[in-house]
Amino acid sequence: MSKDRIPRQPNILLIMTDQHRLSGVGAYGPTPCRTPNLDALARQGVRFETAYTTCPVCTPARASVITGLYPHAHGMTGNPHQLGACVSELPDHPDLLPHRLQRAGYRLGFTGKWHLGTGQESVRRPGSYITMPNKPSLPEHFGFTGHQQARDGKGHTCPEYEAYLTEHGFSGKTRPPEPGAPAPSHNYGILAGPEESTYSWFLADQTMRLMDDFSQGEAPFFIWHNFSGPHHPWLVPQEAYDLYKDVRIPEWPNFRWDSQGTPGPHQMNIHPRAGELQWADWERAIRHYYAYVTLIDRQIGRMLDHLDALGLRQDTLIIFTADHGETLGSHGGLTNKGWSHFEEIQRVPLIVAPPGPPAPGCRTPGSAAPEFASLLDIYPTILDYAEAGFPTEQIHGMSLKPLLDGTPAAWRDAAFVEFFAVFHMATTLFTARKGNMKYGWNSVGQDELYDLDADPWETANVIDAPDYRERAEEMRLTMAQWAHRTGAAIRGWNSPGGDTIPGLPKP
């Protein structure tokens, strides 16, 4: 393909990380975290400043990417076979992203974490003697080839990776971090081997092999590359940790927020030792998290360099994003994901580098797009570039291509996030972000409202503040209209005989 023109159907490389907060990408603002390759990609493409996950849990978010639907619509409301997951194995349908791409002539490659089903023919609930039949859902069932990690293990449960370690003489062993240092949240430590012994390196190798194979043919390809990190455990080689071992990590501005004294669903994620852990304890863990991010960034650089070496970079649409964020001790010692309306877990990095040289009128490379974006938008964006068509009226996402091309287009004025379940525990939370306001609907307890201009770290719930009464009602209406439009069930708002919401038509 000539380097001076955009191909009719570009190759597409979608790179996803797992549990990756914005402070883990240098392009999103000052941070100790080093991501030179992602920063370079942001300079070559467009960075979406306010991109949101559809759900701060792995499976629901990833299912939104492949369907273009909110979790309440695609049904994968929790991780597979955990309580709260309405659907545990991705149902097949001709409108799924890989099927539409195949019909448009694309070859499909997949690497890494799947988490949209299992390879199990039967399942048994914890504590139960009853075995239930199960229809497995794996990448190969949807036309993908490549390395398919169905389980949500972080690589050490993968036979292919174990074989790789043995072949190269790597032990795969780990050692604890600094002697005597308490672990504030999840496991973290030092890997005994070099960078080449990591699962992240192994995954990049798999994707580069797919690139080699696909480069031999004329048909375009779609590769969906999924790192299993920086989801815990944060296990990194010494060389990666050494980049951060003496680095001061600034305390989160909301670290001293009274999480235990403030009622709300976030209580589920308070670290059991939050009252005694000091910021220095969290710093130790965050250094390992950032080291893991930098390790991943280096593998992204390897993959993009390989595209260059094959002469395919100019012909390839590159999208980088994450399924959701990570708390890392923010908001008074919260851990992990889910159970709150906070930015740390809901906002995600989203960088899009279109194929070919910049066209006249397009968004300037290196610019930041202020429009609200969502993981929902990846489905129609990819299909738009692939000229594969998509069912506009049936999906919830919007193609980002008109924004990138500089074409005038009506765009959403709000973003929405859902949460239902994780770790065999369930509730319902819906979040609406519009302008500077964020409204959180809780199925139990008080709702939440945050003014992100006055309170960007979300420490003051102003839902009952007299000065915010009108804006609270506006946000409730925004949420109710969205629920009515998409079929989300919120306390009867979208059903006949439900609560009366001014401005909301009855179904």
Side-chain angles (χ1 to χ4, degrees), residues 1 25 43 153 206 243 296 328 378 465 476 494 502:
M1 179 69 67
V25 182
R43 290 192 295 271
Q206 307 311 304
L243 295 172
I296 289 171
L328 283 181
I378 292 176
R476 287 191 181 100
N494 66 336

Side-chain angles (χ1 to χ4, degrees), residues 22 31 56 65 104 109 136 142 177 236 282 287 327 335 337 350 352 411 437 442 452 454 460 462 467 470 475 477 486:
L22 287 187
T31 176
V65 170
F142 302 93
V236 296
W282 285 100
R287 289 189 185 105
T327 50
T335 66
K337 61 202 171 198
L350 176 59
V352 183
W411 199 252
M437 302 304 299
N442 297 324
L452 298 182
V462 295
D467 291 347
E470 288 187 9
M475 293 303 292
L477 177 58
T486 66

Side-chain angles (χ1 to χ4, degrees), residues 263-284:
H266 69 271
Q267 293 268 344
M268 294 295 295
N269 269 358
I270 299 175
H271 191 281
R273 295 173 52 220
E276 61 182 275
L277 291 172
Q278 303 300 309
W279 178 248
D281 301 318
W282 285 100
E283 271 191 294
R284 293 187 185 98

